[in-house]
Amino acid sequence: MSHDAVLTAVEARLTSTFGEPDARAAVTFLGADRIEVLRFHDADGLVRYATLGMSAAPMADPTSVVADPVAGPRAELVFTVRGGRDEVLRPLATLAASPQVEGLVVAPGASLDLGAPLWEGAPFTSFLVAEPGGLVEDLELPEPADPVHFLPLLPMTPNEAAHKRVHGAAELQERWLRHGTDLRDPLRRGVPLD
């Protein structure tokens, strides 16, 4: 499947899940293919931002000498926030370009740290990459290509990110669950970590 065919299929999966996007932004980074971020509104006031472009090529293990052009993990990022925060468009595109630019393999349980607030005044500076499959179903590609996973991004405060580094992603997610944390609330406080 060509890069374009993969992205056409990915966009079709996103629109069949969320409806038509009401906005899209494109960002191009030196040494990387163009990344788009699509914005979807739903009836409950939630806004979902999904990257388009990260899955065009498989993520390569940075230690391998030759990158396989077909096999290897493929993903797009999905961030959901109540009311929307369009300032996240560029940070999301930056993270989606990181496999191409920095040779990162983005996988569930990873932290993606921006080193700055996700938007002005945001209490969050990084994301936890969650397990795929719950929000958008994986997109199967013809063999030998791996399926495209749609990875939900959960915003973390600096303290939560530090806690996750020490205790792991599963423990942080368990804590969020125990405290009934609304991870889509753009103004939520960090979960108690004592």
Side-chain angles (χ1 to χ4, degrees), residues 171-187:
E171 201 282 338
L172 177 60
Q173 288 179 292
E174 174 59 37
R175 191 172 284 269
W176 280 336
L177 206 55
R178 213 167 47 241
H179 288 275
T181 306
D182 181 359
L183 296 170
R184 297 174 299 197
D185 179 355
L187 304 172

Side-chain angles (χ1 to χ4, degrees), residues 7 9 14-15 25 29 65 75 77 82 85-86 90 97 99 114 130 169:
L7 295 183
L14 288 168
T15 55
F29 299 94
V65 181
L77 308 175
R82 188 167 291 107
R85 285 290 185 276
D86 286 353
R90 188 163 183 83
L114 288 155

